[in-house]
Amino acid sequence: MLTASDLAVACLTPLSTCDWPGQLVATVFLQGCPLACTYCHNPLLIDPRARGTVPWADVADLLERRHGLLDGVVFSGGEPTRQHALRAAMVEVRSLGYRVGLHTAGTYPTRLAQVLDLVDWVGLDIKSVPRLYRAQTGVDAWAKAIASLRAVQRSGVAFQVRTTVDPTVQAPEDVAELTELLCGLGVEEHVLQEARPDGTTEEYREALRATSSGARG
Ligand code: SF4
C-alpha cells in the first residue's frame, strides 16, 4: 500500500500567501507532468521519471512545527494527480489538522475524482480553447480538463478556474471565447493570469518579447 513517503516531491515552499487565496499555506510541488506548456516556468518538474528531492519526512516535520501558523497545504506541481500516493499524503496532512488545497490541470479526471473528498479547495487550470490546447500544452487535453471541471463541480468542493494567458499562442479573442465557453459550463469566475518569462526557455522568452513589442502576426 502506498504511503505519503512514496510521493516524489520536487520542492517545498514553507510559506505561501498566494497559492490558495486567503490562506497561509505550505506548498508541496510534486514531480512529473504530462503537459509541456509553452510558458512552463519550472520545466525541471515535467520529467515523470525524475526522482523527488525532498523526503516526505521534511514536509511532515515542517507541518508539526507550524501548527497555528499555517492554515493548510497546497499540492502543486508538476501535475499532483499523476502520483498515486497523493491520497495517502492528503490523509496525513488532514490528520495533522491542516486543510488541503490542490492545483491541477485536470489531466487525470478519474484520479482527481478519487481524492476530492479530502480536498477543501481546487485551483483548476484550463489552458485554452480546445483548438489551441495542443499548441499551448503539447497535448489535446481539453476533454480531460472539462471532465475534471465536471468532477469538481459535482463534488461541491470550492474551486477557482484559472488560465495563464500566453500571448504567443492566444489572441485576446481566443481568451474571450474561452471565458464564454467556461461560462456556458457553469464557471462563474474565470481568473486570468499573465504568462511570465521567469524560468522559461530562452526560445519562449524571445517569443514573448516579440509579442510584447507588437511583432505578433
Ligand atoms: S501544467 Fe504546469 S508544470 Fe505542467 S507543463 Fe504546464 S505549467 Fe509546467
Side-chain angles (χ1 to χ4, degrees):
M1 194 171 124
L2 292 173
T3 70
S5 302
D6 293 307
L7 271 188
V9 178
C11 174
L12 170 64
T13 299
L15 176 63
S16 167
T17 55
C18 58
D19 284 334
W20 180 348
Q23 305 283 308
L24 290 180
V25 299
T27 305
V28 181
F29 294 88
L30 301 190
Q31 183 66 41
C33 182
L35 304 184
C37 302
T38 49
Y39 53 75
C40 186
H41 56 89
N42 205 344
L44 289 177
L45 261 63
I46 292 178
D47 185 355
R49 293 157 306 179
R51 289 170 173 270
T53 53
V54 180
W56 178 258
D58 289 7
V59 180
D61 183 55
L62 174 85
L63 298 181
E64 292 284 5
R65 288 185 282 111
R66 293 287 167 94
H67 273 297
L69 300 172
L70 290 175
D71 302 310
V73 172
V74 168
F75 290 91
S76 186
E79 173 51 56
T81 58
R82 191 190 68 81
Q83 296 197 39
H84 293 285
L86 178 64
R87 187 173 176 88
M90 287 177 165
V91 167
E92 189 167 325
V93 165
R94 293 190 83 86
S95 74
L96 290 167
Y98 292 97
R99 306 181 77 212
V100 172
L102 176 67
H103 292 172
T104 178
T107 39
Y108 299 98
T110 307
R111 292 187 206 167
L112 172 64
Q114 288 164 351
V115 296
L116 283 172
D117 60 317
L118 298 169
V119 176
D120 298 290
W121 177 81
V122 179
L124 176 61
D125 283 4
I126 302 213
K127 304 288 186 178
S128 76
V129 287
R131 68 174 174 280
L132 294 175
Y133 235 84
R134 180 173 286 276
Q136 191 66 76
T137 70
V139 180
D140 285 321
W142 165 265
K144 286 187 173 164
I146 297 309
S148 290
L149 171 64
R150 290 296 193 210
V152 173
Q153 287 171 319
R154 272 195 307 273
S155 73
V157 172
F159 69 98
Q160 183 183 67
V161 174
R162 303 95 62 87
T163 299
T164 299
V165 177
D166 176 358
T168 74
V169 175
Q170 302 185 51
E173 50 271 29
D174 299 319
V175 180
E177 184 185 334
L178 177 59
T179 300
E180 205 176 311
L181 268 174
L182 292 172
C183 180
L185 292 168
V187 174
E188 286 167 13
E189 190 193 10
H190 180 206
V191 176
L192 302 179
Q193 301 164 334
E194 236 180 279
R196 290 175 288 111
D198 349 348
T200 60
T201 61
E202 179 51 42
E203 188 190 6
Y204 181 72
R205 289 198 294 278
E206 182 53 44
L208 202 54
R209 270 194 296 273
T211 54
S212 56
S213 62
R216 192 173 188 280

